[in-house]
Amino acid sequence: MDRLRIDYTNALSSAVGDEHGIAPAELEQLAAPSRAALAAVLARRTRDLRWLDLPAQEKVHAEILDYAASVSGRFRNVVVLGIGGSALGNIALQTALNSPYHNLFPPAALPRLFVLDNIDPDLVGEFVDAFDPAETLFNVISKSGTTAETMSQFLIFRRRLIDRLGEAEHKEHVVVTTDETSGVLREIVKREGYASFVVPEGVGGRYSVLSPVGLLSSALVGIDVKGLVAGAIAMGDACAGADLAANPALLYAALQWLMQSKKQKPIAVTFAYSHRLASLGDWYAQLLAESLGKRRSRAGKDVFAGPTPVRAVGVTDQHSQVQLYAEGPFDKWFTILAVDRSDHAVPIPPAYEDLEAVAYLGGRTMNELFEAEREGTRIALTEARRPNVSIEFPSVTPHTVGQYLYLMELAVAVMGEHYGVDAFDQPGVEAGKIAAYALMGRKGYEKRRAEIETAKPKTPRVV
Ligand code: PA5
């Protein structure tokens, strides 16, 4: 079976020097804390970290596939209404596992997928103008079932559906994914009788991609969800052992922690050398940022912790960001996502053989050029003493993508132990939501609104 590999040679002091690279002894010192961190995370598996068990939920997977089969061929569009952890995984899976041109040329009987993860009126308004709700299935996703962005979108599209199809028929065009009991969205499901799926307890937004949150829209657009969860299970098995040197999640977590705490590299760049893996970088950015970016430690002290995730895409960003990466401040470390085998082989036809500046390309392949550019960047970063690791995908398949998702979720949970923060709450996000409720005049938030009004600058400086 195709297993992901993490090559961390270039993160070591032997490759990039003592100042920027990790010495074997520094890794060794993390062996015992890593063991303890893994034990602490896995001990919560049946308590509050239920996302660890999502790949084993066969009954749920069967329900998802049954639902997808029951609506097969009925809709031209599937639209996800969700945001943050209720959208990023959906985008990442679609980008990784369907053709980049899926929405232009959807395979027979499969719908197109749109994820409206913003409420910018120009995004939503354009959609309202351009798409026929009668051809569309809306998957409303919200763990809390209260998020203003998602609920406002739901109200807009529900109205459009009712106007177009009538009260009774509109219900066939909505499927909801939310908490089993709490939240107003669950109440609405009960009132309307919408089809629905559950975001289980103990599964926070950014750890929910392998629940119906990410799997339902994937199944609807033809992605092999069984392959995805099989990959996640395989990675869970590979990460079960407590030996730091043999456990990919422990190793990656240790590298992140050492890079920030010992090597003064607060910025973690995910450099996807793959169009298909690019959105996994966005998904990981949320996982890392929301999990570790915390004001307080678990002991209640102000720590203002957390790495800053940055996403880059090769080769595109070679022509925009690599200059900074190779010669700018030594405040970054890099994770290159590399793919051994592309699905396509694209030959470059020979031409202009008398013009050496272009002739050398002829007769080679785009695959060779892509690989040469990736290797060139890896070499350039290493020579510039920029620590980098490579996560190598044998190819991009449901299985390898499932492995990656589970690897990173577990690694970030372990990082939470190293950083000493709660990797599963998001008080900063909640604070923004509360302020928005107050500004929108939601009942119960009057006091917060008054505080915001009072704190407004008396003399704004604007130029
Ligand atoms: O990871 C998280 O918890 C957040 O990003 C949420 O996913 C996001 O705020 C949306 O929340 P909800 O799914 O409750 O609508």
Side-chain angles (χ1 to χ4, degrees):
M1 191 50 75
D2 278 355
R3 266 279 305 281
L4 297 191
R5 301 176 306 273
I6 303 182
D7 181 342
Y8 60 104
T9 317
N10 295 338
L12 298 177
S13 52
S14 49
V16 291
D18 292 338
E19 191 182 348
H20 302 294
I22 293 168
E26 288 173 311
L27 257 187
E28 192 45 46
Q29 277 164 15
L30 268 200
S34 298
R35 251 195 317 276
L38 183 67
V41 170
L42 295 184
R44 294 169 65 183
R45 184 178 210 128
T46 50
R47 216 177 343 126
D48 56 339
L49 303 188
R50 307 297 286 270
W51 53 267
L52 284 161
D53 267 339
L54 290 173
Q57 309 274 304
E58 286 177 19
K59 189 164 163 279
V60 176
H61 307 149
E63 284 163 9
I64 288 170
L65 292 173
D66 284 352
Y67 177 82
S70 75
V71 298
S72 171
R74 273 184 60 193
F75 299 105
R76 188 152 176 243
N77 313 302
V78 169
V79 178
V80 167
L81 307 180
I83 197 163
S86 294
L88 285 160
N90 307 67
I91 299 170
L93 291 175
Q94 165 80 346
T95 311
L97 297 170
N98 271 343
S99 158
Y101 310 108
H102 175 96
N103 280 356
L104 282 177
F105 311 110
L110 287 178
R112 307 179 289 184
L113 178 67
F114 301 91
V115 181
L116 292 189
D117 67 339
N118 202 340
I119 50 164
D120 180 337
D122 285 337
L123 179 79
V124 178
E126 198 71 36
F127 196 91
V128 166
D129 291 347
F131 287 81
D132 181 358
E135 300 181 321
T136 305
L137 176 68
F138 293 91
N139 181 197
V140 190
I141 308 179
S142 176
K143 158 84 178 156
S144 62
T146 55
T147 302
E149 293 88 338
T150 306
M151 296 312 290
S152 59
Q153 289 177 332
F154 164 67
L155 295 179
I156 291 166
F157 289 108
R158 172 180 169 273
R159 183 76 265 154
R160 294 267 304 161
L161 281 168
I162 293 174
D163 290 350
R164 177 83 169 78
L165 303 167
E167 267 292 344
E169 201 187 327
H170 100 274
K171 296 178 199 237
E172 306 291 309
H173 291 248
V174 178
V175 54
V176 171
T177 308
T178 189
D179 189 86
E180 188 165 21
T181 51
S182 71
V184 71
L185 195 52
R186 180 54 67 187
E187 171 60 26
I188 290 170
V189 167
K190 283 189 207 143
R191 286 194 196 178
E192 300 277 8
Y194 292 142
S196 74
F197 287 85
V198 169
V199 190
E201 228 181 291
V203 179
R206 57 192 176 274
Y207 295 88
S208 68
V209 59
L210 295 171
S211 78
V213 169
L215 297 185
L216 179 61
S217 66
S218 297
L220 289 165
V221 294
I223 290 170
D224 170 14
V225 302
K226 286 201 168 159
L228 266 171
V229 296
I233 287 174
M235 185 51 75
D237 292 345
C239 296
D243 176 7
L244 173 61
N247 180 322
L250 289 188
L251 183 81
Y252 194 75
L255 291 172
Q256 170 57 57
W257 167 244
L258 290 170
M259 283 297 167
Q260 183 155 19
S261 66
K262 297 269 193 254
K263 304 294 160 186
Q264 285 72 50
K265 308 212 182 303
I267 301 175
V269 181
T270 299
F271 206 153
Y273 264 81
S274 159
H275 174 85
R276 298 176 67 177
L277 300 182
S279 300
L280 285 177
D282 296 328
W283 169 84
Y284 179 64
Q286 188 215 14
L287 181 67
L288 190 70
E290 267 191 18
S291 300
L292 303 184
K294 298 291 152 71
R295 171 179 174 166
R296 295 209 168 86
S297 70
R298 283 205 305 240
K301 277 209 183 103
D302 274 353
V303 287
F304 302 102
T308 300
V310 167
R311 305 78 76 111
V313 180
V315 301
T316 312
D317 285 318
Q318 276 178 230
H319 299 266
S320 99
Q321 294 175 32
V322 164
Q323 172 60 36
L324 169 74
Y325 295 166
E327 294 193 355
F330 285 86
D331 55 0
K332 304 171 194 67
W333 77 289
F334 300 86
T335 299
I336 294 170
L337 304 184
V339 179
D340 293 346
R341 291 186 306 278
S342 301
D343 289 347
H344 298 82
V346 182
I348 306 172
Y352 307 111
E353 271 155 29
D354 57 325
L355 301 178
E356 180 43 35
V358 68
Y360 73 99
L361 294 168
R364 308 297 296 268
T365 64
M366 208 56 118
N367 309 56
E368 289 173 302
L369 180 59
F370 196 46
E371 189 180 326
E373 299 222 18
R374 186 185 73 217
E375 288 315 296
T377 301
R378 185 150 49 191
I379 291 164
L381 288 174
T382 308
E383 286 179 354
R385 296 175 293 136
R386 314 294 164 146
N388 58 89
V389 307
S390 295
I391 299 184
E392 295 168 353
F393 287 63
S395 57
V396 181
T397 63
H399 200 278
T400 57
V401 170
Q403 289 179 50
Y404 176 82
L405 296 170
Y406 202 81
L407 167 64
M408 295 322 240
E409 288 180 344
L410 189 53
V412 170
V414 170
M415 288 173 204
E417 300 294 312
H418 293 322
Y419 280 78
V421 298
D422 184 339
F424 308 103
D425 67 357
Q426 54 283 328
V429 180
E430 303 306 332
K433 285 188 182 181
I434 288 168
Y437 294 151
L439 292 172
M440 287 295 285
R442 183 171 163 187
K443 229 175 154 183
Y445 293 84
E446 297 78 4
K447 185 163 166 272
R448 183 70 190 117
R449 184 177 179 132
E451 286 164 5
I452 293 170
E453 295 297 338
T454 314
K456 263 193 188 157
K458 301 284 171 289
T459 47
R461 310 275 165 150
V462 183
V463 106

